[in-house]
Amino acid sequence: MDNKLNILFLCTGNSCRSQMAEGWARHLKSDLINAYSAGIEIHGLNLNAVKVMAEAGVDISGHKSRHIDEFKDVAIDFVVTVCGHAHETCPYFPGNCKVTHVGFDDPPKMAKELADKGASEEEQFYCYRKVRDEIKAYVETLPESLK
């Protein structure tokens, strides 16, 4: 029997932050965690997130954006909302599922704001790398920080 915790990382569109969190959890904690990610909407996989995760040695290129409804038959132990909108609209999960919020900045939004100010593509990628590294630091605390 699998004694791993089932952790679902939830974001609005399951395109960037939740995908990075799932990637890090699978990469760093697969002995303790079954990691999943989903969105309350489906926005598609953010290619910039794929790129910065690959820079860190984590391949999420095979991931796809999934809707939270795809996990209705999975016994989720913890839902970690990684954006404010997902936290505010998080649906009810049956059983003993616990929901916690650990918000991270939105890299696409931050990069767009920089682009509108004339920032280079490299400067825009800094937003993705910063959030990637913050998510990694959080995932490294799992599952202990959930208890």
Side-chain angles (χ1 to χ4, degrees):
M1 179 164 172
D2 186 358
N3 290 326
K4 297 180 190 179
L5 289 176
N6 291 328
I7 299 178
L8 175 68
F9 297 97
L10 184 66
C11 199
T12 301
N14 189 222
S15 64
C16 188
R17 291 168 282 183
S18 53
Q19 292 284 353
M20 287 194 273
E22 177 186 359
W24 278 124
R26 289 176 181 261
H27 184 74
L28 298 171
K29 299 288 183 159
S30 63
D31 57 330
L32 301 171
I33 296 170
N34 292 316
Y36 308 97
S37 67
I40 55 175
E41 303 168 8
I42 296 175
H43 291 177
L45 186 59
N46 183 299
L47 298 180
N48 293 334
V50 173
K51 180 178 178 178
V52 299
M53 289 297 286
E55 290 174 358
V58 181
D59 182 8
I60 64 169
S61 64
H63 289 200
K64 69 175 191 142
S65 186
R66 294 170 291 190
H67 191 271
I68 195 166
D69 288 345
E70 292 184 42
F71 296 93
K72 64 182 179 222
D73 296 328
V74 178
I76 300 295
D77 298 301
F78 289 93
V79 173
V80 178
T81 58
V82 295
C83 75
H85 184 249
H87 181 65
E88 293 165 8
T89 58
C90 185
Y92 169 77
F93 285 85
N96 294 323
C97 180
K98 294 172 183 64
V99 177
T100 189
H101 178 65
V102 183
F104 297 98
D105 289 331
D106 184 2
K109 180 182 176 188
M110 293 175 8
K112 182 182 180 328
E113 289 169 356
L114 286 174
D116 290 347
K117 294 176 183 175
S120 69
E121 186 175 320
E122 183 60 29
E123 290 170 314
Q124 294 170 50
F125 268 102
Y126 170 78
C127 302
Y128 288 88
R129 291 180 184 111
K130 175 184 174 290
V131 173
R132 172 201 65 200
D133 296 344
E134 290 170 352
I135 291 171
K136 177 185 180 190
Y138 170 71
V139 168
E140 288 174 333
T141 72
L142 297 176
E144 295 81 12
S145 62
L146 295 171
K147 296 178 183 172

PDB file of all heavy atoms in Angstrom, residues 124-139:
ATOM      1  N   GLN A 124      12.836  39.760 -18.079  1.00  0.00           N
ATOM      2  CA  GLN A 124      11.514  39.175 -17.856  1.00  0.00           C
ATOM      3  C   GLN A 124      11.625  37.749 -17.308  1.00  0.00           C
ATOM      4  O   GLN A 124      10.833  37.348 -16.457  1.00  0.00           O
ATOM      5  CB  GLN A 124      10.701  39.192 -19.148  1.00  0.00           C
ATOM      6  CG  GLN A 124      10.354  40.591 -19.626  1.00  0.00           C
ATOM      7  CD  GLN A 124       9.768  40.590 -21.009  1.00  0.00           C
ATOM      8  OE1 GLN A 124       8.848  39.826 -21.281  1.00  0.00           O
ATOM      9  NE2 GLN A 124      10.295  41.423 -21.897  1.00  0.00           N
ATOM     10  N   PHE A 125      12.616  37.016 -17.764  1.00  0.00           N
ATOM     11  CA  PHE A 125      12.793  35.641 -17.283  1.00  0.00           C
ATOM     12  C   PHE A 125      13.198  35.607 -15.812  1.00  0.00           C
ATOM     13  O   PHE A 125      12.985  34.619 -15.125  1.00  0.00           O
ATOM     14  CB  PHE A 125      13.818  34.874 -18.132  1.00  0.00           C
ATOM     15  CG  PHE A 125      13.184  34.120 -19.247  1.00  0.00           C
ATOM     16  CD1 PHE A 125      13.224  34.605 -20.544  1.00  0.00           C
ATOM     17  CD2 PHE A 125      12.528  32.921 -19.010  1.00  0.00           C
ATOM     18  CE1 PHE A 125      12.616  33.913 -21.574  1.00  0.00           C
ATOM     19  CE2 PHE A 125      11.914  32.213 -20.026  1.00  0.00           C
ATOM     20  CZ  PHE A 125      11.952  32.721 -21.313  1.00  0.00           C
ATOM     21  N   TYR A 126      13.770  36.691 -15.326  1.00  0.00           N
ATOM     22  CA  TYR A 126      14.115  36.761 -13.909  1.00  0.00           C
ATOM     23  C   TYR A 126      12.874  36.492 -13.041  1.00  0.00           C
ATOM     24  O   TYR A 126      12.974  35.834 -12.000  1.00  0.00           O
ATOM     25  CB  TYR A 126      14.719  38.125 -13.561  1.00  0.00           C
ATOM     26  CG  TYR A 126      14.856  38.320 -12.072  1.00  0.00           C
ATOM     27  CD1 TYR A 126      15.899  37.725 -11.367  1.00  0.00           C
ATOM     28  CD2 TYR A 126      13.918  39.061 -11.362  1.00  0.00           C
ATOM     29  CE1 TYR A 126      16.012  37.879  -9.987  1.00  0.00           C
ATOM     30  CE2 TYR A 126      14.024  39.217  -9.988  1.00  0.00           C
ATOM     31  CZ  TYR A 126      15.058  38.619  -9.303  1.00  0.00           C
ATOM     32  OH  TYR A 126      15.160  38.752  -7.953  1.00  0.00           O
ATOM     33  N   CYS A 127      11.710  36.993 -13.460  1.00  0.00           N
ATOM     34  CA  CYS A 127      10.467  36.788 -12.704  1.00  0.00           C
ATOM     35  C   CYS A 127      10.165  35.300 -12.548  1.00  0.00           C
ATOM     36  O   CYS A 127       9.797  34.839 -11.464  1.00  0.00           O
ATOM     37  CB  CYS A 127       9.289  37.462 -13.422  1.00  0.00           C
ATOM     38  SG  CYS A 127       9.498  39.224 -13.687  1.00  0.00           S
ATOM     39  N   TYR A 128      10.325  34.556 -13.624  1.00  0.00           N
ATOM     40  CA  TYR A 128      10.064  33.116 -13.590  1.00  0.00           C
ATOM     41  C   TYR A 128      11.083  32.395 -12.704  1.00  0.00           C
ATOM     42  O   TYR A 128      10.726  31.510 -11.928  1.00  0.00           O
ATOM     43  CB  TYR A 128      10.103  32.528 -15.002  1.00  0.00           C
ATOM     44  CG  TYR A 128       8.913  32.915 -15.835  1.00  0.00           C
ATOM     45  CD1 TYR A 128       8.909  34.090 -16.583  1.00  0.00           C
ATOM     46  CD2 TYR A 128       7.782  32.106 -15.874  1.00  0.00           C
ATOM     47  CE1 TYR A 128       7.810  34.451 -17.348  1.00  0.00           C
ATOM     48  CE2 TYR A 128       6.684  32.460 -16.644  1.00  0.00           C
ATOM     49  CZ  TYR A 128       6.699  33.626 -17.371  1.00  0.00           C
ATOM     50  OH  TYR A 128       5.611  33.989 -18.131  1.00  0.00           O
ATOM     51  N   ARG A 129      12.338  32.787 -12.840  1.00  0.00           N
ATOM     52  CA  ARG A 129      13.386  32.136 -12.038  1.00  0.00           C
ATOM     53  C   ARG A 129      13.208  32.413 -10.548  1.00  0.00           C
ATOM     54  O   ARG A 129      13.390  31.529  -9.711  1.00  0.00           O
ATOM     55  CB  ARG A 129      14.761  32.613 -12.502  1.00  0.00           C
ATOM     56  CG  ARG A 129      15.115  32.116 -13.882  1.00  0.00           C
ATOM     57  CD  ARG A 129      16.493  32.603 -14.311  1.00  0.00           C
ATOM     58  NE  ARG A 129      16.763  32.188 -15.666  1.00  0.00           N
ATOM     59  CZ  ARG A 129      16.840  33.025 -16.710  1.00  0.00           C
ATOM     60  NH1 ARG A 129      16.692  34.330 -16.520  1.00  0.00           N
ATOM     61  NH2 ARG A 129      17.069  32.562 -17.910  1.00  0.00           N
ATOM     62  N   LYS A 130      12.850  33.635 -10.210  1.00  0.00           N
ATOM     63  CA  LYS A 130      12.630  34.009  -8.812  1.00  0.00           C
ATOM     64  C   LYS A 130      11.525  33.149  -8.197  1.00  0.00           C
ATOM     65  O   LYS A 130      11.694  32.572  -7.119  1.00  0.00           O
ATOM     66  CB  LYS A 130      12.276  35.492  -8.733  1.00  0.00           C
ATOM     67  CG  LYS A 130      11.909  35.977  -7.346  1.00  0.00           C
ATOM     68  CD  LYS A 130      11.484  37.446  -7.419  1.00  0.00           C
ATOM     69  CE  LYS A 130      10.958  37.965  -6.113  1.00  0.00           C
ATOM     70  NZ  LYS A 130       9.678  37.428  -5.722  1.00  0.00           N
ATOM     71  N   VAL A 131      10.399  33.060  -8.871  1.00  0.00           N
ATOM     72  CA  VAL A 131       9.266  32.281  -8.349  1.00  0.00           C
ATOM     73  C   VAL A 131       9.602  30.796  -8.353  1.00  0.00           C
ATOM     74  O   VAL A 131       9.269  30.070  -7.404  1.00  0.00           O
ATOM     75  CB  VAL A 131       7.975  32.595  -9.133  1.00  0.00           C
ATOM     76  CG1 VAL A 131       6.831  31.677  -8.707  1.00  0.00           C
ATOM     77  CG2 VAL A 131       7.589  34.059  -8.926  1.00  0.00           C
ATOM     78  N   ARG A 132      10.286  30.328  -9.386  1.00  0.00           N
ATOM     79  CA  ARG A 132      10.724  28.926  -9.426  1.00  0.00           C
ATOM     80  C   ARG A 132      11.520  28.585  -8.175  1.00  0.00           C
ATOM     81  O   ARG A 132      11.289  27.569  -7.528  1.00  0.00           O
ATOM     82  CB  ARG A 132      11.582  28.682 -10.672  1.00  0.00           C
ATOM     83  CG  ARG A 132      12.244  27.307 -10.723  1.00  0.00           C
ATOM     84  CD  ARG A 132      13.448  27.271 -11.643  1.00  0.00           C
ATOM     85  NE  ARG A 132      14.529  28.122 -11.151  1.00  0.00           N
ATOM     86  CZ  ARG A 132      15.521  28.569 -11.916  1.00  0.00           C
ATOM     87  NH1 ARG A 132      15.584  28.238 -13.197  1.00  0.00           N
ATOM     88  NH2 ARG A 132      16.473  29.332 -11.404  1.00  0.00           N
ATOM     89  N   ASP A 133      12.462  29.447  -7.823  1.00  0.00           N
ATOM     90  CA  ASP A 133      13.325  29.189  -6.669  1.00  0.00           C
ATOM     91  C   ASP A 133      12.556  29.294  -5.349  1.00  0.00           C
ATOM     92  O   ASP A 133      12.816  28.542  -4.409  1.00  0.00           O
ATOM     93  CB  ASP A 133      14.521  30.134  -6.686  1.00  0.00           C
ATOM     94  CG  ASP A 133      15.425  29.891  -7.901  1.00  0.00           C
ATOM     95  OD1 ASP A 133      15.304  28.823  -8.557  1.00  0.00           O
ATOM     96  OD2 ASP A 133      16.242  30.778  -8.200  1.00  0.00           O
ATOM     97  N   GLU A 134      11.591  30.201  -5.274  1.00  0.00           N
ATOM     98  CA  GLU A 134      10.751  30.310  -4.073  1.00  0.00           C
ATOM     99  C   GLU A 134       9.892  29.054  -3.907  1.00  0.00           C
ATOM    100  O   GLU A 134       9.728  28.556  -2.786  1.00  0.00           O
ATOM    101  CB  GLU A 134       9.859  31.548  -4.160  1.00  0.00           C
ATOM    102  CG  GLU A 134      10.619  32.852  -4.034  1.00  0.00           C
ATOM    103  CD  GLU A 134       9.779  34.080  -4.349  1.00  0.00           C
ATOM    104  OE1 GLU A 134       8.625  33.929  -4.820  1.00  0.00           O
ATOM    105  OE2 GLU A 134      10.287  35.195  -4.128  1.00  0.00           O
ATOM    106  N   ILE A 135       9.361  28.547  -5.005  1.00  0.00           N
ATOM    107  CA  ILE A 135       8.550  27.330  -4.949  1.00  0.00           C
ATOM    108  C   ILE A 135       9.424  26.147  -4.526  1.00  0.00           C
ATOM    109  O   ILE A 135       9.012  25.327  -3.697  1.00  0.00           O
ATOM    110  CB  ILE A 135       7.832  27.076  -6.292  1.00  0.00           C
ATOM    111  CG1 ILE A 135       6.755  28.149  -6.512  1.00  0.00           C
ATOM    112  CG2 ILE A 135       7.227  25.672  -6.333  1.00  0.00           C
ATOM    113  CD1 ILE A 135       6.127  28.130  -7.894  1.00  0.00           C
ATOM    114  N   LYS A 136      10.620  26.068  -5.075  1.00  0.00           N
ATOM    115  CA  LYS A 136      11.528  24.986  -4.681  1.00  0.00           C
ATOM    116  C   LYS A 136      11.785  25.024  -3.177  1.00  0.00           C
ATOM    117  O   LYS A 136      11.720  23.990  -2.503  1.00  0.00           O
ATOM    118  CB  LYS A 136      12.861  25.096  -5.422  1.00  0.00           C
ATOM    119  CG  LYS A 136      13.860  24.028  -4.997  1.00  0.00           C
ATOM    120  CD  LYS A 136      15.228  24.214  -5.644  1.00  0.00           C
ATOM    121  CE  LYS A 136      16.175  23.111  -5.176  1.00  0.00           C
ATOM    122  NZ  LYS A 136      17.551  23.367  -5.579  1.00  0.00           N
ATOM    123  N   ALA A 137      12.067  26.209  -2.648  1.00  0.00           N
ATOM    124  CA  ALA A 137      12.334  26.347  -1.213  1.00  0.00           C
ATOM    125  C   ALA A 137      11.125  25.884  -0.397  1.00  0.00           C
ATOM    126  O   ALA A 137      11.282  25.224   0.637  1.00  0.00           O
ATOM    127  CB  ALA A 137      12.698  27.790  -0.876  1.00  0.00           C
ATOM    128  N   TYR A 138       9.923  26.201  -0.855  1.00  0.00           N
ATOM    129  CA  TYR A 138       8.721  25.744  -0.145  1.00  0.00           C
ATOM    130  C   TYR A 138       8.592  24.224  -0.224  1.00  0.00           C
ATOM    131  O   TYR A 138       8.362  23.555   0.788  1.00  0.00           O
ATOM    132  CB  TYR A 138       7.457  26.412  -0.707  1.00  0.00           C
ATOM    133  CG  TYR A 138       6.219  25.773  -0.144  1.00  0.00           C
ATOM    134  CD1 TYR A 138       5.872  25.960   1.192  1.00  0.00           C
ATOM    135  CD2 TYR A 138       5.423  24.938  -0.920  1.00  0.00           C
ATOM    136  CE1 TYR A 138       4.768  25.330   1.734  1.00  0.00           C
ATOM    137  CE2 TYR A 138       4.315  24.316  -0.382  1.00  0.00           C
ATOM    138  CZ  TYR A 138       3.988  24.515   0.942  1.00  0.00           C
ATOM    139  OH  TYR A 138       2.896  23.883   1.481  1.00  0.00           O
ATOM    140  N   VAL A 139       8.731  23.665  -1.404  1.00  0.00           N
ATOM    141  CA  VAL A 139       8.576  22.211  -1.589  1.00  0.00           C
ATOM    142  C   VAL A 139       9.588  21.451  -0.731  1.00  0.00           C
ATOM    143  O   VAL A 139       9.283  20.381  -0.203  1.00  0.00           O
ATOM    144  CB  VAL A 139       8.669  21.828  -3.082  1.00  0.00           C
ATOM    145  CG1 VAL A 139       8.806  20.322  -3.267  1.00  0.00           C
ATOM    146  CG2 VAL A 139       7.440  22.344  -3.840  1.00  0.00           C
TER     147      VAL A 139
END
